[in-house]
Amino acid sequence: MIADSPPAIVLPVQVAEAVKPAPQLQGPPAGPQTPPPPPPAAPQAGWRTRLKDSGINLTFSYVSESAASISGGRDQGAAYTQQLLASAVVDTGKAFGLAGGKIIATIIHRKGQDLTATRIGNLFEVQELFGGGQDLRPAELSYEQQLNGGRTALKIGLYHTGDDFATLPSGCQFQNFAFCPRPTTLFYNSGFSGFPIPRWGVRARQDIGHGLSISVAAFEVNSIRAQTGNGWQLAPRFDSVVLPVELGWKSGQGAGQLPGLVRVGGLIDTTDKPDVYADANGDSYALSGLAPATRHERWSAWAMAEKMIVRFGPGERGLSLFGTMTLSDRATARVPLFLSGGFVARGLWDNRPRDNFGLGLVYARVNPRIADRQRDQQLLGQDVDPQRWEASGEIFYGWQATRALLLRPNLQYIHRVGATSRYPDAVVAGMTIKLIL
């Protein structure tokens, strides 16, 4: 362009309007290519939870007790015994609409060896789990009904005297049979029954206020069912009965209080039993050669208590003391005087709230009339040591490894093994394993 040239004339030109694209059908706003997943469903309850919600609570467990005689007793050695259990507890309120009712059905299988019988020779088994028939058997089939807002309770069926009488909460923390869970002398001296040897019976319990309650019952004796292989002989035999009665008192049941329990009771057993010393003339049957006199009934009585004295935390966490005494008639009883006591500490440490440890001591006095008979047997040249008394102790620690698994090592000491001085004092190491599902 030349700078001095006149400006060019620009004529307006009409510009054609830009061509618009044809309109297109529009759908809904575009979303993600994959639709979002539905909200997560609530977790499905397991079959046991569904049964529990309908009123049926199932329990399965394995328990073993091992023991080794380290020194003393008749001999040294080891033994193992175990129990498998399956149990159903039915809340009849949830299951059938019958409020306040409960059905219990339990079956167990036991198998093992008894170190007391095979190696030691003391009075009370160092493995409380042994016994009760080494086989598969029903352990309970019972029905309980609560009335009057729970103040009255009636129970009937095939179960154990010791479920309701002469038992303390701390008892079965120990492996020695003298403690767990009720005084063994009641088994020795009468037809009193404990797990897993059930008897047909009926029991009534009445709360009478201020923490007091009274219980009365009647059970068959039927020692045949205790024998191995006879656990399924369920027909009742009421040719003789055990009639227990007990007064109980619970204290300190409020929040933050120190709970306590006292039980005082007794029983009459109508079973015919031989006198431990005398014949029908009142003389020593060992010397006269006559049969022992027959006694048509026998009795036992007990007093026991447990009290928390220090609290470590909520629930059962605390230090509790316990003590027991039993007396039985001298005509038929093997051990007419029995004393036990000790302590159990639960949840001492905050990081181990379910662990526990304890110490228990036992004194058992053999019937002096048995010792008199044994001295008469010595006069006849028999190799018999008069029995007087035996004392033993146990210390344990229970480690709750998981919610279901408990490991409880223990150490037992037995003085005057078998209530004589023939054998040296015994030291026994034990281990209890419990798996509860």
Side-chain angles (χ1 to χ4, degrees):
M1 179 180 292
I2 299 173
D4 293 333
S5 297
I9 299 173
V10 179
L11 298 175
V13 178
Q14 183 147 3
V15 179
E17 192 173 342
V19 180
K20 294 181 181 180
Q24 307 218 351
L25 296 176
Q26 298 294 317
Q33 296 302 311
T34 302
Q44 293 293 319
W47 63 274
R48 286 181 66 180
T49 301
R50 294 195 298 272
L51 283 176
K52 187 175 182 179
D53 291 341
S54 65
I56 304 174
N57 192 12
L58 301 181
T59 299
F60 305 95
S61 69
Y62 157 85
V63 182
S64 71
E65 291 181 350
S66 303
S69 176
I70 299 173
S71 65
R74 290 200 308 255
D75 195 5
Q76 281 70 62
Y80 166 89
T81 189
Q82 69 172 37
Q83 173 185 281
L84 301 176
L85 175 147
S87 180
V89 178
V90 181
D91 181 336
T92 61
K94 292 182 178 180
F96 312 120
L98 180 59
K102 180 172 64 176
I103 298 171
I104 301 178
T106 302
I107 189 169
I108 64 108
H109 180 269
R110 284 185 169 183
K111 185 177 182 180
Q113 303 84 37
D114 178 11
L115 190 67
T116 287
T118 59
R119 299 289 184 176
I120 305 175
N122 58 309
L123 295 182
F124 307 112
E125 282 88 348
V126 296
Q127 302 152 280
E128 59 81 23
L129 192 65
F130 184 85
Q134 297 293 293
D135 54 14
L136 178 71
R137 61 176 54 225
E140 182 168 357
L141 181 59
S142 68
Y143 174 70
E144 183 174 17
Q145 179 65 50
Q146 294 188 353
L147 304 168
N148 300 328
R151 293 186 296 274
T152 304
L154 305 176
K155 187 173 183 179
I156 188 170
L158 190 68
Y159 65 111
H160 321 94
T161 318
D163 291 351
D164 299 306
F165 297 88
T167 186
L168 291 175
S170 291
C172 252
Q173 310 301 315
F174 296 87
Q175 185 170 302
N176 192 295
F177 192 33
F179 300 101
C180 180
R182 56 202 60 84
T184 311
T185 49
L186 296 177
F187 304 113
Y188 288 171
N189 300 333
S190 72
F192 190 100
S193 65
F195 187 90
I197 307 299
R199 270 42 172 207
W200 290 103
V202 59
R203 180 267 291 153
R205 184 180 67 244
Q206 178 65 48
D207 290 342
I208 53 181
H210 304 288
L212 292 170
S213 65
I214 187 167
S215 300
V216 295
F219 290 89
E220 61 168 347
V221 175
N222 198 348
S223 60
I224 294 176
R225 198 175 296 127
Q227 300 169 5
T228 299
N230 290 339
W232 294 92
Q233 295 192 16
L234 303 182
R237 295 180 56 187
F238 282 98
D239 49 345
S240 60
V241 294
V242 172
L243 305 170
V245 59
E246 183 180 83
L247 182 67
W249 177 48
K250 290 183 178 180
S251 62
Q253 300 301 303
Q257 294 183 331
L258 300 177
L261 174 64
V262 177
R263 288 184 159 181
V264 179
L267 63 82
I268 295 292
D269 180 347
T270 65
T271 309
D272 288 347
K273 283 293 179 179
D275 191 285
V276 298
Y277 175 80
D279 59 22
N281 299 319
D283 300 322
S284 169
Y285 72 77
L287 296 178
S288 70
L290 299 176
T294 299
R295 305 303 178 189
H296 300 295
E297 65 180 32
R298 46 187 175 163
W299 62 268
S300 290
W302 59 87
M304 54 184 56
E306 181 169 335
K307 177 66 175 178
M308 182 182 290
I309 60 171
V310 177
R311 182 173 286 283
F312 303 140
E316 296 182 347
R317 293 183 59 193
L319 173 65
S320 296
L321 304 181
F322 68 90
T324 295
M325 179 178 70
T326 69
L327 300 171
S328 298
D329 76 276
R330 287 164 53 92
T332 62
R334 179 182 174 189
V335 181
L337 174 61
F338 173 90
L339 301 171
S340 70
F343 73 85
V344 173
R346 301 176 178 89
L348 178 59
W349 299 283
D350 290 339
N351 62 341
R352 303 298 308 169
R354 300 182 66 193
D355 287 6
N356 60 8
F357 69 93
L359 169 70
L361 301 172
V362 169
Y363 170 85
R365 176 73 177 183
V366 175
N367 195 332
R369 299 177 75 243
I370 290 179
D372 291 341
R373 186 197 71 215
Q374 291 166 336
R375 280 187 282 269
D376 291 341
Q377 291 174 286
Q378 285 182 325
L379 295 176
L380 298 175
Q382 298 179 23
D383 184 18
V384 177
D385 289 332
Q387 294 177 292
R388 295 176 55 204
W389 57 272
E390 179 182 285
S392 60
E394 178 180 339
I395 187 170
F396 72 85
Y397 185 88
W399 177 50
Q400 195 73 46
T402 69
R403 189 175 186 85
L405 178 63
L406 170 71
L407 305 177
R408 186 188 293 139
N410 62 83
L411 189 66
Q412 304 177 44
Y413 185 85
I414 304 162
H415 178 57
R416 290 183 55 83
V417 173
T420 74
S421 57
R422 171 173 289 198
Y423 304 112
D425 292 357
V427 178
V428 178
M431 169 66 79
T432 299
I433 300 175
K434 289 188 177 183
L435 179 63
I436 302 177
L437 302 176

